[in-house]
Structures are given as structure tokens and as C-alpha cells.
Amino acid sequence: MLFRPHYCCWDLIEEPLWLRALREARRSGLTRPEMLKLPRVGRLFQLGRTPGPILQHKQLRFTEHTNLTKPQRIIFFICVLYAAPGWARVFLEWTQNVVPPSKTLGINELVIPWEPKRLAFIQSARARGYHVYIECNLEEAASLASSAARYGAAGIIVNPGDAQLQSAERAVRKLRAIHPQINFLLLNPNAIQPQMKGTLVINRDGVLQVTSPTAQPWLDTNLALLRLEQAFRPAQVPLYTFNWTLLGSARQQGPEVADYELAVAEAGAFKADLILPLHESLQNGLARNDDKAWATWREIGKYLHFYANSPNNLVPEANVAVITDDNPESFEPINLLARHNIGVRVLRPNQVSESSLKNFDVAIVFPNLSPQLTQAVSQFAASGRTAVVVNVSKKSYLWHSSKGIENGAASVSYPVKKGRVVELREPVSDPETFARDIRGLIDNVKIKISLWNALTTVGVLYREASNGSKTVELLNYSEDPLEVQVRVKGVFPQVWYESPEGGCCKSTDPVIRDGFTEFQIPSLKISGRVHLSRANPHASFQR
């Protein structure tokens, strides 16, 4: 069993409307982008756009000194130090009736969708060395709970389907109390296949509109979904799955190897548990010992092994706190903030206090403010930072005693001692502009991570809880190798890079300038991990 972090158990809450809306989108047959119905579609992702109502956008650029020399120092094999068991797992979903032995496949957790006729296969898979998890709905979970142990199941994964998560989580909690010997996990089935799309199709008033083919690529990522899951269901490491988007011959042949690799990498980089659906053609090929199928699996296995040995005790770094409850309008702004590599932590309103906001530079508030939340936001702004409050209902708050500065028809800025509160009078209708504006609100010297040459790359920054070292998880959704330049706040003379293809670890000579560490990844294929340490006292500094 892999090491699992301890999460505080908070009281159950209403199912977030953002998740309900996402589920309804799936049921309607539309993709999430088609459900957005955003205005200004024609310039949604245009490069060189004008800033939104919050501020005038400031653009960061690397200088000519950013090109880094080829690493020449002795390779430090820090993989030994970082190879503690990870806190993210990959479960294989298996729908066929024959499975290779666990030792041959190199994976332990197997998920078998429940059918009474599959009982013999469940027992057979257990005999072949697997920890077998039965996936079922809420009603089946109640009846299976008393017999799962006899079947040899390691646990039951509850797929709530169309049920509200509030009722599903309550039911699972009861089952855990009644059957403490059974490991019950609650699944979020509303994730999407991670991929890059060249265009974005949006349903606007019943008319499908397509963004320009020259616009910035649209990335389907699950980072926003998982950040919300971590806030609203903290008692369990997020467990999610998705359906493959397959067209033409791919429906029979299955996804490409790179698609499997990206799915595994995304779950590992975002520190979540994934049920990976294996296409039946790959399952059958592995079962009959087909050489091509096993060659495919060996490539996927590099990613499974890489993320099975991820570092633990990592704390996500964030510049922005997003305070939201059940407001579905918060989902896409969070999605675009994450897409622009802006570190985000989602907070529920009852979590917010002056101390909980002390490490953030910008706070975004979507729900109506209670007196306690109003006080916390006011104190946050008074300390010299910026709060962005969505106040469509135009309620009166403490800072209205100051004279507001109009930023056009959509927003007004109120000075609060050393900082300010920016109120939005309309819902966030253009998440792309909103994300760029939020990035511009953060002082350049406080931005914790920046990426260049990275339109298709997502980078997530983590801090080692014990010693302050940093880790950057990189994901390239284009699946074509590219050169990425990264800047991390802090002075880290030692920088090592590892990847599923190249192993661990290659040292690189960072450029230390003005309190930031800059480095270059020459060829990021799909994913990689960068370790930054303060340990080397002999590094040369450039200023």
C-alpha cells in the first residue's frame, strides 16, 4: 500500500453547483467549452489582446541572458532522496475477462466494473496478484459491502453517477462506519481527457462558433476540477476518471501511446488518484501476449513507474486564493488561471480568515460576503494586497466608505489603506481576459513561477515542507517535444531535471538573478520534474 497523506475531515457540505453544472453538460452531450456561452468569442484567445477591466496588462519577458549553458557539473543522483512513495495512484480499469499477472503488468491496483457474472474474474484477478477494487453505483455498494471481503476485494469504488455528491458522500460515510474493514472510495466521473485542441467550439445562443485557427491552443486539463475537489472533499485524495474522445479508426484501435502517457502524467503531477480506462483492444492484446500491445504497455509503464515514485510531503505554491462556494461561474476562471500557470488555492468561505490569507497576493471572492468574510477581505486589502470581489448584486460593504475609481463600466476599485478592493459589477464573462488581468495584479517580484515558450505547457510549483526546496511538475499537452524556459522565485543554486524517458537526474546550470532562479529544459516531451535546492554554496551568481 502506498503512503497516503492525512487529510482533516471537514463537515459535509452541499454539492457544488459547478460540479452539478459539469455533470449536466456531460448528460446533454455537449463538451464543457460548448456550455460556456461566452460573449466576445471572436477574440477570446487572440494573442496581443487588450487587457480587461481590472488593469492594464504587463508582459514579462526573458532577457538575452536567459539562454543557459549545457550542464557540465557532476550529476547528483538525488533521485534516491526523492524516491519516497507518492501520494497519487493509478488504478487500471479492466473490462475484459482475462488479465496478465500483476508482476508481468507491473501494477497492483485493478478496478473491475461490477456485474454478478464477473465474480469469478474478480477472484481470478486477486489470485494473479492484484488488489482488486469493485466499481459500482450507490445501490450496489450497499449490497456488496457485506460480501466484498469474501470475494477478496481490496475495496469498493463508488461511482455516484447522476447522484449529488452530498448524498453520495453521506452514504459512503455510513458504509465506512458499518463496514470499517472495507476501503470505500468515492469517484468523480466528470473529468475530461487531457489533450490539446487547436480550436475552441462555443455554443452561443444556440449557435456554434469556432475560435480562430491561429488563436492560442485550448488545453483540456483537470487541474481546476482537482483544486475544487481538494477544497470541497478534503477527506479523500481526489479520485477521478474520464472517457476517451476517439474518432474514426481510433474507436477500434484505441488511444495513442502518448495519450495514455499524458493521462498518467497529469494525475501524477497534480497529486490525484486516477482510474485509467484501458481500451479493450489494448486489454485483449496484453492478454494474448501480442508483441505490439506489450511494446505499447512498456512505454506507458515508464510513466507509471515515474509517478509511482513521486516525492511526497509537497505543498502546492499559490499566489492567488479563490474563495467560492457553489457558484458555477467560478469554474472557468479557475480553469484559465491554472492554464496560465498562476498558482491557485481554492478556499471555502468558512475556511477564510486573516491568517488563512496571509500567504497570498490576490484573493478572488465569488460568493456574497458574510460579515466575517467581509472583515477578512478588508484586512487582506488593508495589508497592501488586492482583493477582487464579484459583486453583481451591488451589495454595500465596508470599503464603500472610500471613493471608488471607475475602471470602465465593468469594475470599480476602492482604496483600502495600503491595498485595494476591485469590485466586478458583472459576472466573469471572459475567463481568458480575467486570468491575464489577475496575473497583472501580482507584482512581478512576487510571482512564484513563470514559463516562457510554453503555450501548451502547464507547470505546477510545490514546496518541500521540511526544507524549503522546490519541485516543478511540467506537462506538455501538445505531446511534441519543445524547449521550455522557467523562472522560479527564490535562490536555488542546484537544479536537477528528470523525466520518464530520461530518468533521474540531469543537473543544469541555473541563472540566479534578482532573487529568481531561471533555467531551461531543452526538450520537454510530455512531462518532467525539476528539483531545486539551496544546497550548493559554490554556484556562480549573475545579476
Side-chain angles (χ1 to χ4, degrees):
M1 178 65 68
L2 295 178
F3 168 78
R4 312 299 290 159
H6 176 70
Y7 286 81
C8 298
C9 295
W10 296 337
D11 292 335
L12 293 175
I13 57 174
E14 292 290 334
E15 178 189 20
L17 288 179
W18 62 266
L19 190 54
R20 194 179 312 164
L22 193 61
R23 186 176 65 247
E24 292 301 321
R26 297 287 180 270
R27 294 179 63 188
S28 69
L30 295 176
T31 64
R32 186 182 70 229
E34 292 172 338
M35 298 297 291
L36 295 180
K37 300 183 180 180
L38 299 177
R40 297 178 285 184
V41 173
R43 56 191 186 92
L44 182 58
F45 291 106
Q46 296 293 337
L47 300 179
R49 57 185 299 121
T50 57
I54 299 179
L55 47 67
Q56 294 296 318
H57 180 61
K58 298 178 182 178
Q59 186 172 1
L60 298 175
R61 294 184 183 276
F62 261 1
T63 69
E64 67 274 11
H65 298 294
T66 303
N67 294 328
L68 305 181
T69 61
K70 183 178 180 179
Q72 297 178 341
R73 295 198 303 252
I74 298 175
I75 295 176
F76 293 87
F77 290 95
I78 63 168
C79 294
V80 176
L81 300 177
Y82 283 97
W87 57 359
R89 290 183 293 179
V90 174
F91 301 75
L92 287 189
E93 181 183 67
W94 202 273
T95 58
Q96 302 305 297
N97 293 321
V98 179
V99 62
S102 172
K103 289 185 178 180
T104 305
L105 209 55
I107 197 165
N108 294 325
E109 279 79 17
L110 199 70
V111 175
I112 300 176
W114 171 249
E115 292 181 45
K117 64 181 181 180
R118 306 209 74 195
L119 177 57
F121 176 63
I122 291 172
Q123 296 170 330
S124 172
R126 181 174 177 271
R128 288 189 159 229
Y130 291 99
H131 300 151
V132 178
Y133 290 79
I134 301 174
E135 181 183 344
C136 60
N137 59 36
L138 278 170
E139 292 74 17
E140 292 169 336
S143 59
L144 282 171
S146 58
S147 54
R150 295 200 309 271
Y151 299 158
I156 294 176
I157 294 176
V158 180
N159 186 336
D162 294 331
Q164 292 187 4
L165 282 180
Q166 178 195 18
S167 59
E169 195 164 9
R170 185 183 302 116
V172 168
R173 186 169 63 171
K174 290 181 179 178
L175 288 171
R176 287 171 178 158
I178 298 172
H179 306 278
Q181 74 281 10
I182 300 295
N183 184 16
F184 288 94
L185 299 174
L186 189 57
L187 174 68
N188 186 334
N190 297 304
I192 54 178
Q193 176 189 338
Q195 60 183 324
M196 181 189 76
K197 294 181 178 179
T199 57
L200 174 64
V201 180
I202 296 176
N203 186 333
R204 184 180 180 188
D205 299 327
V207 178
L208 295 181
Q209 300 184 357
V210 183
T211 58
S212 166
T214 62
Q216 179 175 340
W218 176 265
L219 304 185
D220 278 343
T221 87
N222 290 298
L223 183 53
L225 177 93
L226 296 174
R227 288 290 181 261
L228 287 159
E229 280 281 288
Q230 289 161 352
F232 283 91
R233 293 168 57 193
Q236 176 186 303
V237 174
L239 172 64
Y240 70 100
T241 193
F242 61 87
N243 295 318
W244 295 108
T245 303
L246 302 176
L247 301 174
S249 61
R251 294 177 178 174
Q252 286 74 40
Q253 298 173 2
E256 298 289 336
V257 175
D259 296 331
Y260 282 113
E261 292 171 339
L262 179 58
V264 172
E266 186 183 68
F270 299 162
K271 313 306 178 189
D273 291 348
L274 167 68
I275 297 180
L276 181 66
L278 286 192
H279 192 271
E280 62 178 29
S281 65
L282 181 56
Q283 294 182 47
N284 290 329
L286 294 171
R288 64 173 181 266
N289 208 27
D290 178 74
D291 290 342
K292 184 177 179 180
W294 277 103
T296 295
W297 182 251
R298 282 191 290 271
E299 293 301 311
I300 300 171
K302 295 177 183 178
Y303 283 75
L304 292 168
H305 176 75
F306 183 80
Y307 288 100
N309 293 287
S310 297
N312 55 33
N313 296 326
L314 297 180
V315 180
E317 294 272 66
N319 283 108
V320 177
V322 177
I323 302 165
T324 186
D325 47 14
D326 59 353
N327 190 337
E329 294 178 355
S330 67
F331 184 87
E332 281 305 324
I334 296 172
N335 187 39
L336 267 296
L337 288 169
R339 166 65 191 87
H340 282 278
N341 297 305
I342 302 171
V344 172
R345 182 185 174 191
V346 178
L347 300 174
R348 291 158 43 193
N350 61 1
Q351 291 178 261
V352 177
S353 64
E354 184 179 3
S355 61
S356 68
L357 295 175
K358 66 180 181 180
N359 294 323
F360 300 103
D361 301 295
V362 175
I364 305 171
V365 187
F366 283 95
N368 290 326
L369 278 68
S370 65
Q372 179 183 356
L373 185 54
T374 301
Q375 186 66 29
V377 170
S378 181
Q379 291 171 341
F380 177 84
S383 66
R385 293 168 289 179
T386 301
V388 178
V389 177
V390 181
N391 188 13
V392 178
S393 58
K394 298 181 174 59
K395 290 191 174 183
S396 179
Y397 294 117
L398 295 175
W399 45 84
H400 288 175
S401 58
S402 302
K403 183 178 180 180
I405 302 172
E406 298 285 339
N407 299 326
S411 68
V412 57
S413 178
Y414 295 94
V416 182
K417 294 185 178 180
K418 298 179 182 179
R420 58 177 167 166
V421 174
V422 178
E423 283 193 6
L424 302 184
R425 297 170 173 174
E426 300 174 356
V428 178
S429 59
D430 188 341
E432 171 73 10
T433 296
F434 179 77
R436 291 181 181 273
D437 285 353
I438 294 299
R439 179 63 176 256
L441 288 175
I442 307 169
D443 193 324
N444 290 349
V445 300
K446 296 181 179 179
I447 293 176
K448 297 184 178 182
I449 183 171
S450 301
L451 275 65
W452 282 263
N453 300 329
L455 290 178
T456 63
T457 304
V458 170
V460 183
L461 179 65
Y462 295 93
R463 170 175 51 84
E464 170 62 48
S466 61
N467 59 23
S469 298
K470 301 292 179 71
T471 297
V472 179
E473 296 279 4
L474 295 169
L475 294 170
N476 174 18
Y477 285 77
S478 74
E479 301 176 356
D480 291 323
L482 53 81
E483 179 182 271
V484 178
Q485 295 170 312
V486 184
R487 186 174 81 163
V488 173
K489 183 174 176 58
V491 176
F492 301 98
Q494 287 191 351
V495 177
W496 295 274
Y497 175 69
E498 60 175 328
S499 67
E501 296 83 12
C504 179
C505 289
K506 296 179 181 179
S507 67
T508 182
D509 291 322
V511 176
I512 310 297
R513 184 187 296 111
D514 299 329
F516 287 87
T517 301
E518 301 170 357
F519 55 91
Q520 182 175 338
I521 305 302
S523 180
L524 176 67
K525 181 186 175 185
I526 292 177
S527 68
R529 181 181 302 123
V530 182
H531 303 286
L532 300 97
S533 171
R534 308 180 194 273
N536 185 359
H538 303 296
S540 59
F541 288 73
Q542 297 186 22
R543 296 191 184 279

